[in-house]
């Protein structure tokens, strides 16, 4: 891995939190992701399943974590299974985790080769009443591929039909949402790398550059700072492209007078950052662009102050909608009749701001976290309002990642990334 080693104490804490919520005499199993094929002998770059990483720190394929707090043999209450390496694998693929390395990474004392899993699992299931399955129940998921977890669940149900089944996801939604200090530190590192990429772009951007050149500049800076790249597919949208919310082709030339919406974030140690900035190609906002920019920034700042413990996600979005409505009236994009006659299920402001304001962020860019219960300290959210005006051929979105505090306003992990229009113009004017 490119990132610096993470102390295993983080993963020890995470396992303790999960096991504290398990039912008596229950086992939980977590599988690594598959390596997904492309065609012929080509594969996608491996991405570890975030749940097994969260609980063990293991970042390689064909690994299994087993948790059984009530196992009779204390040594079998936490067991990590890793792929047995050999000289052939070492030559062709590189070194894999040894048992000793598995312990150093995870803090788990009982590390075994993957080939021992079936035998030990059967033995432990004779002591257990319940098996926790790790299903994907994220509110945005739309998975069509059968995963390694799916295959394990099918096999387990067939082999152990008399056991009760439980879901690990509700526990993970709760505990992954509230970050440990070490996790916030890793996310800060991801944000710092994103800052370096953005500052590089401010110096690089000028009329005539292509969106894909900007994407390449970000990637260069990310990788040279120990990130494996983008936390999500980057959006580099110049001109009217910014009005396509998930514009990712990044293949157009950037013209003088246009704005560029940059929705880009680095990952670090599997943790995500998620930044959006909107900058002028020629280094200077027009009067109208500046008016809209300042309106979006005001909405972002007011929305950020609302992220405190006890806030309900749905109510928060309604309040942000009211703030946005006021700004759109001031910009002349809405009039009082639009608001008076609006459809309550699709308020008038949605014509220009049609997405949500915030989502959980962490190991996943759209991270685990409850949405129907009050927010808690040390949850990390994005704040990302936008105004999109196809008729004027530009759209503006601004986004930071913030940590909810027990008291006071959230801590902004992106506070050092330029966002004020004057600062952005100043930096861009210095490039020549």
């Amino acid at each position: 891995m490119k990132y610096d080693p993470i102390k295993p104490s983080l993963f020890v804490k995470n396992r303790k939190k999960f096991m504290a919520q398990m039912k008596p005499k229950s086992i939980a199993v977590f599988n690594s992701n598959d390596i997904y094929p492309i065609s012929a002998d080509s594969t996608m770059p491996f991405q570890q399943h975030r749940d097994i990483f969260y609980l063990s720190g293991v970042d390689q394929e064909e690994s299994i974590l087993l948790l059984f707090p009530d196992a009779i043999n204390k040594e079998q209450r936490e067991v990590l299974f890793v792929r047995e390496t050999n000289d052939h694998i070492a030559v062709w693929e590189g070194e894999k985790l040894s048992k000793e390395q598995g312990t150093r990474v995870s803090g788990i004392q009982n590390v075994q080769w993957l080939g021992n899993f079936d035998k030990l699992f059967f033995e432990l299931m004779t002591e257990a009443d319940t098996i926790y399955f790790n299903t994907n129940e994220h509110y945005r998921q739309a998975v069509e591929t059968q995963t390694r977890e799916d295959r394990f669940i099918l096999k387990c149900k067939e082999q152990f039909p008399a056991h009760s089944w439980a879901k690990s996801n509700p526990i993970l939604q709760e505990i992954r949402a509230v970050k440990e200090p070490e996790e916030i530190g890793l996310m800060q590192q991801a944000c710092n790398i994103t800052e370096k990429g953005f500052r590089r772009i401010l110096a690089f951007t000028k009329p005539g550059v292509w969106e894909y050149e900007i994407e390449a500049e970000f990637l260069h800076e990310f990788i040279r700072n120990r990130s494996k790249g983008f936390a999500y597919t980057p959006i580099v949208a110049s001109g009217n492209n910014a009005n396509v919310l998930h514009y990712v082709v990044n293949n157009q030339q950037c013209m003088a007078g246009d704005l560029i919406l940059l929705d880009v974030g680095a990952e670090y140690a599997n943790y995500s950052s998620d930044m959006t900035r909107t900058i002028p190609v020629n280094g200077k906002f027009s009067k109208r662009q500046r008016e809209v920019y300042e309106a979006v920034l005001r909405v972002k700042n007011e929305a950020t102050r609302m992220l405190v413990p006890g806030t309900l996600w749905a109510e928060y979005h309604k309040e942000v909608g009211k703030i946005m409505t006021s700004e759109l009236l001031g910009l002349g994009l809405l009039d009082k009749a639009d608001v008076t006659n609006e459809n309550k299920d699709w308020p008038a402001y949605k014509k220009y701001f049609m997405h949500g304001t915030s989502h959980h962020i962490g190991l996943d860019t759209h991270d685990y976290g409850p949405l129907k219960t009050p927010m808690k300290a040390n949850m990390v959210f994005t704040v990302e309002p936008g105004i999109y005006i196809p008729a004027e051929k530009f759209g503006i979105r601004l986004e930071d990642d913030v940590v909810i505090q027990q008291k006071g306003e959230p801590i902004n992990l992106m506070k050092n990334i330029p966002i004020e229009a004057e600062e952005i113009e100043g930096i861009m004017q210095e490039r020549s």
Side-chain angles (χ1 to χ4, degrees):
M1 301 304 120
K2 294 183 175 72
Y3 55 85
D4 290 319
I6 302 169
K7 291 182 180 180
S9 56
L10 170 62
F11 309 114
V12 171
K13 284 191 288 187
N14 291 345
R15 289 194 299 275
K16 285 181 178 178
K17 286 187 288 187
F18 185 90
M19 290 190 287
Q21 295 193 44
M22 292 174 65
K23 297 177 181 180
K25 298 185 71 175
S26 64
I27 288 177
V29 174
F30 302 88
N31 286 275
S32 287
N33 275 334
D34 287 318
I35 297 177
Y36 292 100
I38 297 173
S39 182
D41 63 344
S42 300
T43 60
M44 299 287 289
F46 176 69
Q47 285 272 2
Q48 182 59 293
H49 195 298
R50 299 306 192 244
D51 292 332
I52 191 173
F53 182 83
Y54 174 80
L55 294 166
S56 71
V58 170
D59 206 353
Q60 75 178 34
E61 70 280 8
E62 297 184 62
S63 304
I64 300 177
L65 173 65
L66 185 152
L67 302 177
F68 187 10
D70 295 330
I72 295 170
N73 182 345
K74 292 182 179 180
E75 294 180 356
Q76 296 175 337
R77 293 177 181 175
E78 295 183 341
V79 189
L80 176 66
F81 298 87
V82 295
R83 179 185 181 189
E84 185 172 4
T85 192
N86 55 43
D87 292 341
H88 176 80
I89 291 173
V91 169
W92 286 88
E93 300 180 29
E95 182 182 4
K96 302 295 180 181
L97 289 174
S98 67
K99 292 181 180 179
E100 294 74 19
Q101 289 169 328
T103 295
R104 285 202 296 272
V105 167
S106 66
I108 296 171
Q109 299 305 309
N110 189 351
V111 180
Q112 301 197 24
W113 298 131
L114 187 62
N116 296 337
F117 176 78
D118 286 342
K119 181 177 182 296
L120 182 57
F121 182 58
F122 183 88
E123 175 188 333
L124 294 179
M125 284 292 276
T126 64
E127 300 177 22
D129 294 332
T130 302
I131 171 74
Y132 277 85
F133 292 139
N134 192 28
T135 52
N136 185 351
E137 299 179 25
H138 191 274
Y139 69 104
R140 287 176 179 253
Q141 75 85 19
V143 180
E144 296 182 0
T145 305
Q146 188 181 57
T147 66
R148 197 175 186 88
E149 292 282 19
D150 294 332
R151 296 195 300 276
F152 170 76
I153 291 168
L154 290 172
K155 179 181 176 181
C156 198
K157 286 183 174 181
E158 182 178 344
Q159 190 175 4
F160 302 101
H163 281 69
S164 297
W165 306 327
K167 301 188 299 182
S168 62
N169 191 262
I171 300 175
L172 289 165
Q173 291 278 1
E174 289 289 336
I175 64 175
R176 275 184 53 178
V178 179
K179 272 54 177 181
E180 293 290 338
E182 299 97 319
E183 294 182 281
I184 293 172
L186 293 168
M187 294 183 70
Q188 181 67 75
Q189 180 70 358
C191 291
N192 292 348
I193 296 171
T194 300
E195 177 193 351
K196 291 180 179 180
F198 182 60
R199 289 184 181 276
R200 182 187 182 101
I201 291 306
L202 290 177
F204 173 80
T205 301
K206 60 184 178 181
V209 303
W210 292 76
E211 293 166 346
Y212 55 77
E213 293 181 290
I214 293 173
E215 179 180 346
E217 293 294 314
F218 270 115
L219 185 60
H220 178 102
E221 196 67 28
F222 289 178
I223 291 177
R224 74 194 294 262
N225 283 283
R226 303 183 77 110
S227 165
K228 63 188 173 196
F230 297 107
Y232 51 92
T233 305
I235 297 170
V236 182
S238 62
N240 208 29
N241 297 330
N243 293 308
V244 180
L245 295 182
H246 290 141
Y247 175 85
V248 294
V249 292
N250 302 344
N251 63 1
Q252 298 298 302
Q253 195 170 26
C254 305
M255 310 305 291
D258 282 347
L259 299 179
I260 311 173
L261 190 155
L262 305 164
D263 191 337
V264 177
E267 72 79 50
Y268 181 77
N270 292 314
Y271 282 85
S272 294
S273 66
D274 190 354
M275 175 203 76
T276 307
R277 293 292 186 269
T278 306
I279 65 173
V281 174
N282 60 10
K284 184 74 175 178
F285 292 97
S286 72
K287 180 180 178 183
R288 177 60 169 173
Q289 291 168 349
R290 181 73 172 263
E291 287 175 347
V292 178
Y293 189 97
E294 298 291 355
V296 174
L297 183 57
R298 284 192 294 271
V299 174
K300 189 192 79 72
N301 290 340
E302 289 190 53
T304 300
R305 288 189 282 270
M306 294 162 55
L307 291 173
V308 296
T311 298
L312 291 172
W313 189 73
E315 295 302 315
Y316 161 75
H317 283 293
K318 289 180 183 178
E319 290 303 311
V320 174
K322 294 177 183 177
I323 298 168
M324 180 60 80
T325 298
S326 177
E327 292 291 350
L328 293 172
L329 287 167
L331 291 168
L333 293 169
L334 295 179
D335 58 33
K336 291 183 178 180
D338 292 324
V339 178
T340 301
N341 300 322
E342 69 181 6
N343 179 349
K344 299 303 180 185
D345 295 326
W346 191 256
Y349 76 84
K350 289 282 189 179
K351 180 179 179 180
Y352 299 99
F353 174 40
M354 60 292 294
H355 58 78
T357 313
S358 296
H359 58 76
H360 289 275
I361 183 171
L363 279 168
D364 288 295
T365 304
H366 298 115
D367 204 26
Y368 283 3
L371 297 178
K372 297 180 181 179
T373 54
M375 296 178 184
K376 298 178 181 178
N378 293 324
M379 287 183 171
V380 186
F381 282 93
T382 63
V383 188
E384 49 182 307
I387 294 176
Y388 310 92
I389 319 173
E392 299 182 38
K393 293 184 168 42
F394 71 87
I396 294 173
R397 181 165 68 249
L398 300 172
E399 176 183 21
D400 285 332
D401 305 338
V402 304
V403 187
I404 292 180
Q405 300 298 291
Q406 191 62 53
K407 294 183 179 179
E409 294 183 17
I411 291 176
N412 186 355
L413 298 178
M414 294 184 163
K415 64 181 182 298
N416 294 327
I417 302 179
I419 197 169
E420 296 289 342
E422 287 185 5
E423 183 179 8
I424 288 172
E425 288 180 335
I427 294 171
M428 296 187 76
Q429 294 301 319
E430 291 173 1
R431 65 195 166 186
S432 56

